Amino acid sequence: MENNAPVLEVINLHTYYGNIHALKGITLSVHKGEIVTLIGANGAGKTTTLKTICGLLKPRLGEVYHEGRMINVLKAHEIVSLGISMVPEGRGIFSRLTVLENLDLGAYIRTDRVAINEDLDRVFSLFPRLKERQKQVAGTLSGGEQQMLAIGRALMARPQILLMDEPSMGLAPILVESIFETIKTINQEGVTVLLVEQNALMALSIANRGYVLQTGQIVLQDTAANLQINEMVQKAYLGME
């Protein structure tokens, strides 16, 4: 599944919010075709890591590499054009626009109209409910439908790497299973996934590898299977005594 060189590599990342030292030397890698998950409590630095990778935050120290090229010097839209898309926490859809308009905006950096239409059909096959509601104003969708739209919009950029921030947040359990099945399908079709998720059990059930973050530092990294049976992970994140 993986060659020796990571498709995405983060080295000694230090990111601040003002004087608050949010990331304290994060180092991680993602290889092509993997699902890698970041787990940890609220405030551990998971979202900050994704935002730094995709250019929404600039690190004070450290580098982010995509296929060997340093990208932390680039603007966010330039990083998207390299094939790195983010599904933000809280969905971040344009609530006053229609479903179709939101999806079109996902492809704003592209000019290949025929392929864009193919990708639109692909999103509608993944999420038939969005096809039914394509003319509906996005703000009137249910939480689950808004999450589908956020994922669909990110896919419209035709990413190589999908950064996903809390895709199950606020969703009913049956919808959580559906979203995770979709993540697996997207991955099987060739998209590499870096997943931040509070639901550690679900995340580890679909991931190849995982990193555990605590207060801005990685304290553990292993295969997902090993993390599921790790005593500290079980107690802290899987609700097992």
Side-chain angles (χ1 to χ4, degrees):
M1 177 177 51
E2 56 183 73
N3 56 23
N4 291 328
V7 69
L8 185 67
E9 191 171 19
V10 170
I11 299 174
N12 192 32
L13 217 54
H14 290 259
T15 301
Y16 288 73
Y17 292 102
N19 292 323
I20 297 168
H21 196 174
L23 299 184
K24 303 167 186 173
I26 297 285
T27 295
L28 61 86
S29 62
V30 183
H31 289 81
K32 188 172 182 178
E34 283 192 306
I35 299 177
V36 174
T37 186
L38 306 181
I39 61 175
N42 281 335
K46 305 185 303 296
T47 295
T48 305
T49 301
L50 294 191
K51 285 184 172 179
T52 306
I53 290 170
C54 71
L56 295 173
L57 294 171
K58 292 295 177 192
R60 205 173 287 185
L61 189 68
E63 298 93 36
V64 181
Y65 291 92
H66 169 249
E67 296 183 337
R69 174 189 179 184
M70 191 167 76
I71 62 170
N72 49 283
V73 294
L74 302 178
K75 294 183 171 67
H77 71 272
E78 293 171 324
I79 292 173
V80 172
S81 71
L82 295 176
I84 301 171
S85 290
M86 182 164 167
V87 182
E89 181 183 1
R91 292 143 207 165
I93 59 164
F94 298 99
S95 59
R96 295 185 181 183
L97 301 181
T98 67
V99 166
L100 192 56
E101 287 166 339
N102 268 272
L103 292 172
D104 273 340
L105 279 170
Y108 76 98
I109 58 167
R110 297 173 56 186
T111 54
D112 48 338
R113 193 69 239 179
V114 172
I116 288 171
N117 288 335
E118 288 172 0
D119 287 342
L120 190 60
D121 290 340
R122 170 79 197 104
V123 169
F124 286 153
S125 71
L126 269 176
F127 301 116
R129 227 178 299 183
L130 294 183
K131 185 171 186 178
E132 295 166 14
R133 290 163 168 70
Q134 58 185 292
K135 293 180 181 174
Q136 191 169 324
V137 174
T140 64
L141 299 174
S142 70
E145 289 161 353
Q146 289 186 15
Q147 187 62 68
M148 294 171 196
L149 180 56
I151 295 171
R153 186 182 61 192
L155 290 175
M156 289 300 294
R158 196 169 272 195
Q160 299 173 328
I161 304 170
L162 197 56
L163 311 178
M164 307 192 77
D165 193 1
E166 305 283 9
S168 79
M169 182 180 280
L171 300 185
I174 191 164
L175 276 174
V176 172
E177 289 193 20
S178 170
I179 290 293
F180 275 89
E181 281 301 317
T182 302
I183 295 169
K184 276 168 57 179
T185 300
I186 292 166
N187 176 250
Q188 286 160 1
E189 292 177 353
V191 179
T192 303
V193 178
L194 180 58
L195 171 67
V196 160
E197 181 53 60
Q198 282 285 108
N199 189 333
L201 190 60
M202 287 294 283
L204 291 171
S205 75
I206 67 165
N208 303 101
R209 295 187 298 114
Y211 293 86
V212 179
L213 272 69
Q214 287 180 1
T215 56
Q217 295 176 303
I218 289 168
V219 295
L220 192 60
Q221 57 177 301
D222 210 331
T223 64
N226 283 345
L227 288 175
Q228 285 186 73
I229 58 173
N230 179 282
E231 191 175 342
M232 184 272 277
V233 173
Q234 288 186 341
K235 284 183 177 175
Y237 306 110
L238 303 182
M240 302 177 189
E241 291 302 324

